C-alpha cells in the first residue's frame, strides 16, 4: 500500500471541503438559522449520499479498469481535463462569499438529513467529480479496485464530515470572520484553483 497517495488524497479532500461551495455554504446557513445540531444533521445527510456515488464509481470504473488499459487512461485524461475546467470556472467566478439567511427555512433534524441526502444523491456533478477524482489515487497493487474505491470514498466522507462539521459548529464565528475580512474569499478562491489544477496534473501522470 502506498500511504503517501492516501495522505495526498486526504489533504486534497480537506482543501476542497474548506473551499466555499453550495454544500458547505448550505450547512453554514442551516447552522446559523436553526442551530449547530441542525447543521450537523445536514452534514450527515450529505455524507450519506456520498456512499451512493462511491458505489456507482467503485463498480463502474473497476469493470473498465479490468477490461482495458486504454479506457482507463481515457477516464483519467477526461478526469484531469474536467478538474482543469473546474479550476477555470472558479477563476472566472467571483471571489466574494454571499450569505442569504433570509431564504433558509426552519426544518426538523430528520427533514434536514433527508434533504442533505437527496441534494447529494440527485446531483450528477458529485458522481462526475468522484469519477474524475478517485481513479488517480488507487494506492495498492494487492487490494481489489472496488475495495480501494470504497476506502477512498470513506476517507473522503470522513474528512469532509470533519470539515463540514467544524463549519456547522463554528458557523457564527466563520460568518462574522468572512464578513469582516474581504480577502478570505480571494484566498479560498485561489486555494480551490490551485487544488483543482494540482489534482488534475497528479491524476494525469499517475500510474495504474
Amino acid at each position: 500500500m502506498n500511504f503517501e497517495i492516501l495522505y495526498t488524497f486526504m489533504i486534497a479532500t480537506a482543501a476542497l471541503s474548506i473551499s466555499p461551495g453550495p454544500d458547505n455554504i448550505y450547512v453554514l446557513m442551516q447552522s446559523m438559522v436553526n442551530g449547530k445540531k441542525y447543521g450537523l444533521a445536514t452534514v450527515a445527510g450529505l455524507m450519506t449520499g456520498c456512499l451512493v456515488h462511491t458505489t456507482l464509481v467503485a463498480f463502474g470504473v473497476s469493470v473498465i479498469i479490468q477490461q482495458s488499459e486504454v479506457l482507463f487512461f481515457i477516464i483519467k485524461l477526461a478526469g484531469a481535463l474536467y478538474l482543469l475546467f473546474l479550476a477555470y470556472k472558479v477563476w472566472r467566478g467571483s471571489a466574494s462569499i454571499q450569505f442569504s439567511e433570509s431564504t433558509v427555512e426552519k426544518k426538523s433534524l430528520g427533514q434536514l438529513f433527508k434533504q442533505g441526502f437527496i441534494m447529494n444523491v440527485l446531483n450528477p456533478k458529485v458522481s462526475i467529480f468522484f469519477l474524475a477524482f478517485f481513479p488517480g489515487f488507487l494506492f495498492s497493487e494487492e487490494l481489489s479496485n472496488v475495495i480501494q474505491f470504497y476506502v477512498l470514498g470513506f476517507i473522503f466522507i470522513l474528512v469532509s464530515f470533519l470539515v463540514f462539521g467544524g463549519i456547522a459548529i463554528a458557523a457564527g464565528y466563520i460568518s462574522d470572520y468572512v464578513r469582516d475580512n474581504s480577502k478570505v474569499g480571494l484566498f479560498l478562491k485561489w486555494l480551490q484553483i490551485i487544488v483543482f489544477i494540482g489534482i488534475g496534473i497528479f491524476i494525469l501522470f499517475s500510474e495504474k
Side-chain angles (χ1 to χ4, degrees):
M1 292 178 61
N2 191 329
F3 287 101
E4 289 185 3
I5 292 178
L6 290 177
Y7 297 147
T8 303
F9 181 81
M10 292 173 65
I11 294 170
T13 299
L16 291 172
S17 298
I18 293 170
S19 302
D23 286 347
N24 51 21
I25 289 180
Y26 181 73
V27 169
L28 182 66
M29 293 296 95
Q30 290 297 343
S31 296
M32 291 172 60
V33 173
N34 296 308
K36 297 174 184 177
K37 65 180 180 179
Y38 292 88
L40 290 172
T42 307
V43 175
L46 289 168
M47 295 304 103
T48 304
C50 286
L51 286 173
V52 177
H53 295 288
T54 298
T55 299
L56 293 173
V57 172
F59 285 96
V61 177
S62 293
V63 170
I64 292 174
I65 292 174
Q66 292 172 357
Q67 289 180 345
S68 172
E69 292 273 357
V70 175
L71 285 176
F72 183 56
F73 174 76
I74 291 173
I75 284 181
K76 289 202 306 176
L77 178 61
L81 292 175
Y82 176 68
L83 290 167
L84 293 176
F85 170 70
L86 291 180
Y88 173 74
K89 284 186 65 178
V90 174
W91 177 68
R92 289 292 303 271
S94 172
S96 63
I97 303 174
Q98 301 294 329
F99 300 121
S100 54
E101 299 173 44
S102 60
T103 62
V104 179
E105 299 179 9
K106 289 185 175 293
K107 297 182 179 181
S108 68
L109 292 174
Q111 287 175 322
L112 287 173
F113 176 88
K114 180 180 178 181
Q115 184 165 329
F117 177 79
I118 293 174
M119 278 176 58
N120 192 289
V121 170
L122 296 184
N123 185 355
K125 291 183 179 180
V126 179
S127 279
I128 294 172
F129 179 74
F130 277 25
L131 183 61
F133 191 36
F134 284 14
F137 289 91
L138 295 177
F139 55 88
S140 174
E141 296 181 358
E142 298 176 358
L143 294 175
S144 72
N145 292 318
V146 171
I147 291 176
Q148 291 184 71
F149 277 119
Y150 270 109
V151 169
L152 294 174
F154 280 116
I155 291 175
F156 183 93
I157 290 169
L158 176 61
V159 173
S160 298
F161 184 87
L162 291 174
V163 173
F164 279 37
I167 290 173
I169 292 171
Y173 172 78
I174 291 172
S175 61
D176 290 342
Y177 185 80
V178 170
R179 288 191 179 105
D180 295 339
N181 295 270
S182 58
K183 293 183 179 180
V184 171
L186 185 63
F187 169 78
L188 292 174
K189 173 179 178 176
W190 280 102
L191 173 64
Q192 202 170 6
I193 291 171
I194 291 169
V195 171
F196 278 141
I197 293 175
I199 295 172
I201 294 172
F202 179 86
I203 288 174
L204 187 61
F205 292 100
S206 64
E207 296 182 1
K208 179 178 173 183

